[in-house]
């Protein structure tokens, strides 16, 4: 590159951005291909409006758009809606749509598509559509570029549920008067997103091509985006080493981070960890319906026997952070003062007081713990727990089962005493209700498996969802967290961090983020 | 003859029914629920959604009627609808079976031949340095776990030497044209076929060696030698034909093992066959998919078994004539 005045200016202008590694877009070039390794099962279709399956979301976030998307910090920013207005009573949301947007088949996009998607698809067919959008009373379309949502009651999470994971906008002209679940467009999607599906080699890869008519000028930067299915972790690592893929958003498990840094960093790969939205909180969940565990003192004692820093440093290899409350970091001011520090003496006192003194051989009682083999870290954590509980005279019996059986035992049949799980409650703290309110007991995967029931908490959740003043909302969730951590139906252990790996020639990749964002900002720099 | 065939068909049908029934019962009593697995993957679903799915897949019916409905569909040639993939099971098979068969058949044919060549070499030079080397290699190949051997192949030939691709059956950006595609697939099949076929080659080599050494000590071989027939002619016309019989048997038997091996190989190499489907099906408690897969495996095994008998007949006139010693 010769140093012309223009080049020099470009260089100068991009200097600050180049420090904002690793997601900067400095020195971006147009064109190029990005090959993404997927370790999930192959998506069966590409309609994110009717499923929450990760593989579907990951690929189709590049094909479809929604009213909003998340920025790097998890705040909603414009996507198909260029701006919006919320009435002071929190009951009316008016969205101004980007004009002249075209579907991939050339048809014009309009407010009718938004209304159709919510009424005919998201509400009846999305797995959590009925929960997310129960507050919607009516959707009006005064003109092609305006959509007005009228709510039955103020519903604070609404604005954060309008991104592509929860509220994909589908083309009305393709889906109207058809069986949505069987529509061929589910595997030949027509979206408004930055890329179009070009080829789907079943079981092998999905190839997406740039949408030249994308409604955001200058985007996307890449010519092609290829998702390849590589089920095996070791093969994924080999594919990285051989530079056969460029990015592994779901391929890196936390325990591989150090190895990968040694093996791949010299070959031009960037390996790291970051916080991300919707991340799970590794938790010890407690069946409060069990005769022994029904006593709050016993649960508090358990919380004092756990050494979270040891779990983080030895099992998690330092990836993640200690969790003191079941709501993740992205809810400001939700930190609780009800923190349990390891204290064997105090724990023993609580157990004595609860009516479980040490008996013959120093034993108090025995407990069992359901350990899913679907998570590499759970078994070593359970082994640590066995040591710690053993010191207080509690025998712990490990029951290893696969993920399906673990979910079934902890959340549906509730046939367990203790269990390890990794629930994720986001993007709004209101979503946490499904894990803690009385009406969610035993309602299936990641609902209230603990059988936890506290009328005050139920009431606070009902208030939180309708409160639209942010400060007042935070106050409510703060109270919820305090109440929950006093009752201890769950012991939060660590917050998960996202491990990423990508070739350093790419910039602007979705951050640790949801990794279910579109890749419209990604560009190749060499 | 007709009686034999009908008996055989009848026992095949009985076997398939047994496979279906047994797997139906086993999966039903395994802890875990397909709908929970489906919706649980990403944080659950509303109770209405779960109930709708349950009804849609007939999981709200009693087990006996579920079984009856399934058998009824099966008799009409309908393998059911995969819960995890939300696609007819038959469509999944149509997509994936060709890749598995390509891998299996390539592996069996190529490595049977290699195994036989190595076996003949070993038998005719029993005790030599070459024979010892082959025997050591064969023990190694026999005892290496498939998934580990596959990783070794990838590490050496793909990552270090860049000779073969790490994963998949097709290149992502391949030039159009049939010849290019064929070459591309052939290039991709080499490592998975080696990983899968090494075990079979070892088994074949050992059987050919043992069986050939035995045959070479038979009286009729000695007679042929005494008559002055050339060594090559004895080997090809008299010895091999007899020595091949156990090899055919062992290939038929090892087919089942190779089918299992193919599952592991496919997962390691990201080969788009049935392998990953089996794992996804089991982890997701996807009953129609699992039973369908077991059924198709049983069917393949039965067909291969029958083929083995036919080939036996071609090789051995005693069997062809229906006479047994």
């Amino acid at each position: 590159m010769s140093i012309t005045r223009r080049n020099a200016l470009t260089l100068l202008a991009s200097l600050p951005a180049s420090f904002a590694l690793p997601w900067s877009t400095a020195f971006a070039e147009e064109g190029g291909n990005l090959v993404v390794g997927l370790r999930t099962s192959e998506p069966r279709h590409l309609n994110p409006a009717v499923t929450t399956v990760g593989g579907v979301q990951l690929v189709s976030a590049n094909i479809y758009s929604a009213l909003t998307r998340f920025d790097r910090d998890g705040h909603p920013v414009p996507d198909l809606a260029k701006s919006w207005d919320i009435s002071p009573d929190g009951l009316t949301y008016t969205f101004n749509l980007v004009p002249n947007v075209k579907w991939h088949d050339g048809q014009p996009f309009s407010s009718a598509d938004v209304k159709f998607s919510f009424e005919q698809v998201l509400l009846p067919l999305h797995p959590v559509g009925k929960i997310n959008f129960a507050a919607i009373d009516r959707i009006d379309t005064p003109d092609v570029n305006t959509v007005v949502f009228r709510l039955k009651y103020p519903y604070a999470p609404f604005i954060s549920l309008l991104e592509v994971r929860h509220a994909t906008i589908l083309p009305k002209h393709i889906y109207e008067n058809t069986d949505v679940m069987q529509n061929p467009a589910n595997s030949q999607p027509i979206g408004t997103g930055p890329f179009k599906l070009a080829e789907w080699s079943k079981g092998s890869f999905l190839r997406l091509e740039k949408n030249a008519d994308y409604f955001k000028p200058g985007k996307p930067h890449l010519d092609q985006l290829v998702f390849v299915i590589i089920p095996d972790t070791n093969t994924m690592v080999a594919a990285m080493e051989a530079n056969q893929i460029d990015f592994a958003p779901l391929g890196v498990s936390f325990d591989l981070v150090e190895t990968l840094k040694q093996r791949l960093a010299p070959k031009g790969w960037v390996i790291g960890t970051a916080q991300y939205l919707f991340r799970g909180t590794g938790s010890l969940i407690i069946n409060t319906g069990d005769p022994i565990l029904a006593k709050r003192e016993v649960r508090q004692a358990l919380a004092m026997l756990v050494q979270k820093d040891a779990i983080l440093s030895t099992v998690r290899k330092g990836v993640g952070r200690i969790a003191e409350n079941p709501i993740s970091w992205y809810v400001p001011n939700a930190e609780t003062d009800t923190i349990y520090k390891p204290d064997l003496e105090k724990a023993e006192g609580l157990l004595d007081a609860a009516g479980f003194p040490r008996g013959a051989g120093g034993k108090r009682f025995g407990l069992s713990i359901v350990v899913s083999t679907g998570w590499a870290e759970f078994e070593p954590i359970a082994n640590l727990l066995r040591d710690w509980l053993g010191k207080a005279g509690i025998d712990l019996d490990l029951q290893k089962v696969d993920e399906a059986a673990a979910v079934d035992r902890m959340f549906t049949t509730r046939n367990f005493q203790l269990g390890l799980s990794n629930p994720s409650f986001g993007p709004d703290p209101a979503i946490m209700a499904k894990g803690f309110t009385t009406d969610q007991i035993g309602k299936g995967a990641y609902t209230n498996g603990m059988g936890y029931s506290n009328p005050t908490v139920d009431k606070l959740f009902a208030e939180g969802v309708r409160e639209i003043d942010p400060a007042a909302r935070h106050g409510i969730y703060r109270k919820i967290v305090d109440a929950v951590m006093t009752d201890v139906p769950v012991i939060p252990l660590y917050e998960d961090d996202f491990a990423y790996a990508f070739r350093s020639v790419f910039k602007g990749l979705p951050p640790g983020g949801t990794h279910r964002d579109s890749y419209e900002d990604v560009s190749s720099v060499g | 003859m007709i009686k034999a065939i009908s008996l055989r068909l009848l026992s095949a049908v009985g076997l398939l029914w047994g496979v279906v029934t047994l797997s139906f019962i086993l999966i039903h009593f395994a802890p875990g629920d397909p709908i929970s697995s489906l919706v649980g993957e990403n944080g659950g679903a509303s109770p209405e959604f779960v109930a709708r799915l349950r009804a849609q897949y007939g999981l709200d019916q009693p087990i006996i009627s579920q079984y009856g409905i399934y058998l009824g569909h099966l008799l009409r040639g309908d393998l059911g609808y995969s819960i995890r993939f939300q696609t007819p099971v038959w469509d999944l098979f149509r997509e994936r079976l060709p890749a598995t068969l390509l891998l299996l058949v390539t592996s069996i044919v190529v490595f049977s031949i290699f195994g036989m060549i190595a076996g003949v070499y070993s038998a005719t030079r029993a005790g030599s340095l070459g024979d010892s080397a082959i025997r050591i290699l064969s023990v190694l190949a026999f005892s290496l776990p498939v998934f580990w051997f596959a990783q070794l192949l990838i590490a050496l030939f793909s990552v270090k030497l860049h000779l073969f691709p790490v994963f998949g059956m097709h290149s992502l950006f391949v030039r159009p044209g049939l010849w290019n595609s064929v070459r591309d697939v052939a290039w991709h099949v080499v490592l998975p076929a080696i990983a899968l076929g090494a075990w079979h080659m070892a088994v074949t080599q050992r059987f050919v060696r043992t069986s050939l050494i035995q045959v070479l000590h038979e009286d009729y071989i000695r007679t042929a030698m005494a008559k002055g027939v050339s060594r090559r002619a004895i080997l090809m016309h008299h010895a091999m034909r007899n020595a091949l019989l156990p090899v055919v048997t062992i290939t038929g038997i090892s087919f089942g093992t190779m089918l299992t091996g193919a599952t592991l190989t496919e997962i390691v190499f990201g080969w788009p066959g049935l392998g990953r489907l089996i794992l996804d099906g089991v982890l997701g408690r996807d009953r129609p998919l699992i039973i369908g897969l077991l059924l198709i495996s049983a069917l393949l095994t039965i067909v291969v078994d029958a083929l083995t008998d036919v080939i036996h007949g071609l090789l051995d006139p005693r069997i062809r004539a229906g006479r047994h010693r």
Side-chain angles (χ1 to χ4, degrees):
Chain A
M1 184 167 78
S2 63
I3 307 225
T4 61
R5 195 178 127 87
R6 195 164 152 198
N7 283 339
L9 280 175
T10 318
L11 268 172
L12 266 178
S14 54
L15 262 178
S18 64
F19 290 111
L21 289 170
W23 323 111
S24 78
T25 50
F27 314 117
E29 277 179 17
E30 291 304 305
N33 306 321
L34 178 77
V35 181
V36 183
L38 282 187
R39 203 159 61 88
T40 58
S41 348
E42 180 178 40
R44 274 323 294 173
H45 60 77
L46 291 172
N47 183 353
V50 297
T51 183
T52 49
V53 170
V56 178
Q57 291 178 336
L58 197 80
V59 178
S60 54
N62 291 288
I63 298 171
Y64 285 103
S65 317
L67 290 176
T68 67
R69 57 185 295 210
F70 284 127
D71 68 6
R72 302 289 192 230
D73 303 317
H75 300 123
V77 292
D79 201 30
L80 280 171
K82 61 176 180 177
S83 64
W84 54 86
D85 185 47
I86 306 171
S87 67
D89 61 3
L91 289 174
T92 309
Y93 287 68
T94 307
F95 292 90
N96 304 305
L97 306 179
V98 179
N100 305 320
V101 174
K102 285 198 167 35
W103 292 101
H104 292 164
D105 62 357
Q107 295 289 315
F109 157 80
S110 80
S111 56
D113 293 309
V114 179
K115 184 177 164 72
F116 169 81
S117 301
F118 274 86
E119 290 177 348
Q120 305 294 318
V121 186
L122 295 167
L123 266 161
L125 299 174
H126 189 278
V128 281
K130 264 214 171 67
I131 298 175
N132 287 343
F133 301 122
I136 296 177
D137 181 32
R138 197 170 87 232
I139 301 170
D140 294 332
T141 51
D143 64 62
V144 291
N145 291 325
T146 312
V147 188
V148 183
F149 289 83
R150 297 187 201 283
L151 306 188
K152 296 176 211 160
Y153 44 85
Y155 182 60
F158 188 62
I159 195 72
S160 56
L161 294 171
L162 300 177
E163 45 77 55
V164 77
R165 273 176 24 122
H166 294 102
T168 296
I169 305 301
L170 295 180
K172 182 182 176 190
H173 67 280
I174 302 277
Y175 279 95
E176 193 177 29
N177 300 323
T178 67
D179 177 354
V180 172
M181 302 303 285
Q182 302 297 329
N183 194 306
N186 290 344
S187 43
Q188 292 138 29
I190 302 291
T192 48
F195 295 92
K196 301 176 180 187
L197 180 67
E199 182 188 2
W200 189 343
S201 175
K202 290 284 166 76
S204 300
F205 61 86
L206 297 109
R207 192 164 58 78
L208 276 56
E209 278 172 1
K210 177 180 190 156
N211 172 13
D213 292 327
Y214 189 45
F215 63 90
K216 294 178 191 168
K219 290 180 183 180
H221 306 292
L222 296 167
D223 289 333
Q224 296 196 67
L225 185 56
V226 186
F227 292 91
V228 295
I229 293 121
I230 307 177
D232 185 82
T233 314
N234 295 314
T235 310
M236 183 76 88
V237 174
M240 292 182 203
E241 280 194 285
N243 279 351
Q244 289 185 12
I245 58 171
D246 305 312
F247 181 38
L250 299 169
V252 186
S253 90
F254 70 93
D255 52 340
L256 279 176
V257 170
E258 280 314 309
T259 319
L260 288 184
K261 274 184 183 163
Q262 284 166 17
R263 276 169 66 180
L264 291 175
K267 296 184 175 178
W269 279 74
V270 180
I271 318 288
T273 58
Q275 298 178 348
Y276 70 105
L277 302 173
F278 315 118
R279 66 175 171 184
T281 302
S283 307
L284 178 67
I285 71 162
I286 302 173
N287 188 348
T288 60
D290 179 82
I292 297 172
L293 297 166
K295 299 211 162 142
R296 188 161 80 179
E297 294 82 0
V298 175
R299 303 197 297 267
Q300 288 174 335
L302 292 182
M304 289 175 196
L305 294 172
V306 173
Q307 298 171 27
K308 296 177 187 180
D309 51 349
I311 291 176
L312 190 65
S313 60
T314 59
V315 181
R316 292 277 311 175
K317 319 264 191 238
V319 177
R321 63 145 96 172
I322 288 177
E324 299 294 2
N325 96 51
I327 296 190
S328 192
W329 61 279
Y330 54 81
V331 182
N333 309 319
E335 291 82 10
T336 173
D337 297 326
T338 319
I339 290 174
Y340 298 89
K341 294 282 174 213
D343 191 336
L344 180 60
E345 208 172 305
K346 215 167 160 188
E348 297 227 43
L350 281 167
L351 290 168
D352 289 338
F356 297 105
R358 284 186 187 259
K363 301 285 177 212
R364 296 177 193 275
F365 50 81
L367 291 173
S368 63
I369 181 166
V370 173
V371 181
S372 162
T373 51
W375 300 80
E377 61 266 54
F378 283 179
E379 194 185 342
I381 290 176
N383 281 323
L384 288 177
L385 290 172
R386 180 160 55 190
D387 279 355
W388 297 329
L389 267 56
K391 289 195 177 116
I394 303 170
D395 280 336
L396 190 62
D397 174 33
L398 268 60
Q399 302 185 342
K400 282 200 289 179
V401 289
D402 73 3
E403 177 70 2
V407 166
D408 196 50
R409 284 186 58 184
M410 290 188 283
F411 298 104
T412 309
T413 58
R414 298 191 47 242
N415 168 28
F416 77 110
Q417 288 182 301
L418 299 174
L420 287 168
S421 180
N422 202 346
S424 123
F425 301 113
D428 188 279
I431 310 294
M432 187 187 154
K434 76 175 177 181
F436 293 91
T437 53
T438 309
D439 61 349
Q440 291 294 318
I441 293 176
K443 286 283 169 63
Y446 301 107
T447 55
N448 184 352
M450 299 87 77
Y452 178 57
S453 178
N454 180 336
T456 315
V457 169
D458 290 351
K459 202 168 133 274
L460 285 168
F461 269 117
E463 278 170 27
V465 88
R466 283 169 162 77
E467 179 56 65
I468 49 173
D469 172 51
R473 280 200 90 201
H474 290 148
I476 291 172
Y477 288 109
R478 171 73 189 259
K479 281 189 205 160
I480 290 176
V481 168
D482 276 336
V484 167
M485 290 324 296
T486 306
D487 292 337
V488 207
V490 59
I491 303 173
L493 302 172
Y494 57 88
E495 287 190 38
D496 217 346
D497 263 358
F498 167 83
Y500 56 76
F502 61 89
R503 284 178 63 209
S504 55
V505 293
F506 290 94
K507 298 287 180 233
L509 285 153
T514 61
H515 52 77
R516 285 163 199 173
D517 280 336
S518 95
Y519 293 17
E520 63 187 41
D521 295 323
V522 181
S523 57
S524 145
V525 287
Chain B
M1 185 70 173
I2 291 170
K3 193 178 158 200
I5 291 175
S6 346
L7 258 175
R8 193 147 189 152
L9 275 177
L10 207 66
S11 73
V13 170
L15 187 68
L16 292 177
W17 174 78
V19 166
V20 169
T21 310
L22 197 65
S23 42
F24 202 92
I25 295 170
L26 286 177
I27 299 161
H28 182 76
F29 286 107
D33 169 80
I35 305 294
S36 290
S37 313
L38 189 68
V39 301
E41 189 176 77
N42 278 278
S46 68
E48 293 92 340
F49 186 83
V50 171
R52 186 165 60 80
L53 281 184
R54 217 171 272 290
Q56 189 182 329
Y57 294 108
L59 296 169
D60 50 350
Q61 311 269 334
I63 172 81
I64 283 291
S65 39
Q66 286 186 41
Y67 176 69
I69 292 168
Y70 184 82
L71 275 190
H73 281 274
L74 205 57
L75 287 176
R76 289 196 295 275
D78 177 3
L79 286 170
Y81 203 79
S82 158
I83 297 170
R84 187 171 185 87
F85 290 95
Q86 297 177 25
T87 307
V89 171
W90 178 242
D91 287 1
L92 287 172
F93 288 172
R94 250 194 347 212
E95 269 169 26
R96 305 296 184 89
L97 192 59
T100 296
L101 287 181
L102 174 72
L103 177 60
L104 261 176
V105 172
T106 309
S107 215
I108 289 179
V109 171
V110 171
F111 289 96
S112 293
I113 294 171
F114 284 172
M116 280 192 273
I117 294 172
V120 171
Y121 181 93
S122 279
T124 49
R125 289 167 184 76
S128 72
L129 201 63
D131 174 37
S132 305
I134 286 177
R135 281 165 69 189
I136 290 169
L137 284 177
S138 145
V139 168
L140 258 178
F142 186 77
S143 43
L144 280 180
V146 171
F147 57 90
W148 190 67
F149 184 43
Q151 296 291 353
L152 284 185
L153 290 174
I154 291 178
L156 179 63
F157 292 104
S158 305
V159 178
K160 265 265 172 312
L161 302 173
H162 297 284
L163 288 176
F164 295 102
V166 175
F167 63 90
M169 184 167 140
H170 307 277
S171 296
L172 304 177
F173 308 100
V174 70
R175 275 172 296 152
L178 182 67
W179 175 233
N180 285 332
S181 301
V182 171
R183 267 199 328 198
D184 186 49
V185 172
W187 183 51
H188 279 80
V189 83
V190 174
L191 292 190
I194 294 176
L196 181 59
W199 177 86
H200 179 62
M201 181 168 81
V203 175
T204 310
Q205 183 271 338
R206 286 158 70 115
F207 267 83
V208 169
R209 182 181 184 277
T210 316
S211 142
L212 199 56
I213 286 176
Q214 213 170 20
V215 170
L216 287 175
H217 285 95
E218 293 279 343
D219 289 345
Y220 64 88
I221 300 288
R222 217 167 296 152
T223 312
M225 276 176 165
K227 277 161 64 185
V229 182
S230 80
R231 200 177 150 77
R232 169 182 282 269
I234 290 174
L235 203 60
M236 297 319 285
H237 295 289
H238 302 285
M240 267 314 269
R241 195 160 180 155
N242 286 299
L244 270 182
L245 285 175
V247 174
V248 172
T249 312
I250 203 66
T251 303
I253 293 172
S254 68
F255 180 82
T257 316
M258 301 245 326
L259 207 56
T260 318
T263 304
L264 296 171
T265 310
E266 286 180 6
I267 290 171
V268 174
F269 286 97
W271 189 260
L274 294 175
R276 180 68 187 177
L277 276 189
I278 293 175
L279 189 66
D280 281 342
V282 172
L283 290 179
R285 302 292 189 271
D286 190 340
R287 189 156 59 202
L289 182 57
I290 303 171
I291 300 176
L293 282 163
L294 290 172
L295 197 64
I296 205 120
S297 310
L299 201 63
L300 280 175
T301 311
I302 289 170
V303 168
V304 168
D305 202 33
L307 270 179
T308 311
D309 283 359
V310 171
I311 297 173
H312 253 190
L314 293 177
L315 287 174
D316 189 342
R318 288 166 305 184
I319 296 173
R320 197 165 44 211
R323 282 185 279 115
H324 296 276
R325 236 197 317 206

